[in-house]
Amino acid sequence: MLRLTLRDGHDGRLLARIIDRDGYAFVLDYGDRAVVADAARKVMQGGFLVRWEEVIEEASPGSPTFFRLLAMHYATEGLLVSVDEPTWTRRAPDRRLEMTEVPLPGHSELEPFPGG
């Protein structure tokens, strides 16, 4: 799951939040009504153009690049754009570190741990 957050470029207030889950994007219903409506239309219909360097791409819903193009589109309009993955835990969920596996300050990962 990816989350695209759109904020006002001047005061940082939340304008819209768009979620992409397994290639299907949807817009949450809070934020600025006009931006939420615009984002919902773009997510449902696509058809907007994104220009970067010499390349112009047309965004179509369901394409692998759609979410990236949507973020680029709003960034070029002057909005503050952030993309994050709130479900990413930074490690495998079924693996827990034992205390002997935690590196001590000043030790290289290649050196054996004291007592282990």
Side-chain angles (χ1 to χ4, degrees):
M1 179 173 90
L2 295 173
R3 179 176 54 196
L4 171 63
T5 303
L6 305 175
R7 295 190 177 274
D8 187 280
H10 299 291
D11 60 13
R13 72 186 155 86
L14 178 68
L15 299 176
R17 204 161 262 160
I18 303 148
I19 306 295
D20 179 83
R21 177 169 273 158
D22 301 325
Y24 297 101
F26 59 93
V27 182
L28 299 179
D29 63 349
Y30 60 93
D32 182 79
R33 286 183 178 203
V35 177
V36 168
D38 180 64
R41 184 184 55 75
K42 284 180 172 45
V43 165
M44 297 296 287
Q45 298 173 357
F48 58 94
L49 298 176
V50 177
R51 175 188 298 256
W52 51 286
E53 294 181 6
E54 298 290 324
V55 179
I56 299 174
E57 286 189 59
E58 182 176 355
S60 59
S63 74
T65 60
F66 179 76
F67 206 65
R68 177 181 56 87
L69 293 173
L70 188 63
M72 289 173 59
H73 169 74
Y74 283 115
T76 59
E77 287 190 351
L79 300 183
L80 298 175
V81 173
S82 67
V83 177
D84 63 314
E85 190 171 8
T87 56
W88 185 54
T89 61
R90 298 179 189 252
R91 67 173 186 226
D94 60 341
R95 179 159 161 21
R96 297 181 186 262
L97 291 175
E98 297 297 328
M99 286 306 293
T100 58
E101 295 179 89
V102 177
L104 297 174
H107 287 275
S108 164
E109 289 183 11
L110 301 175
E111 294 176 3
F113 298 117

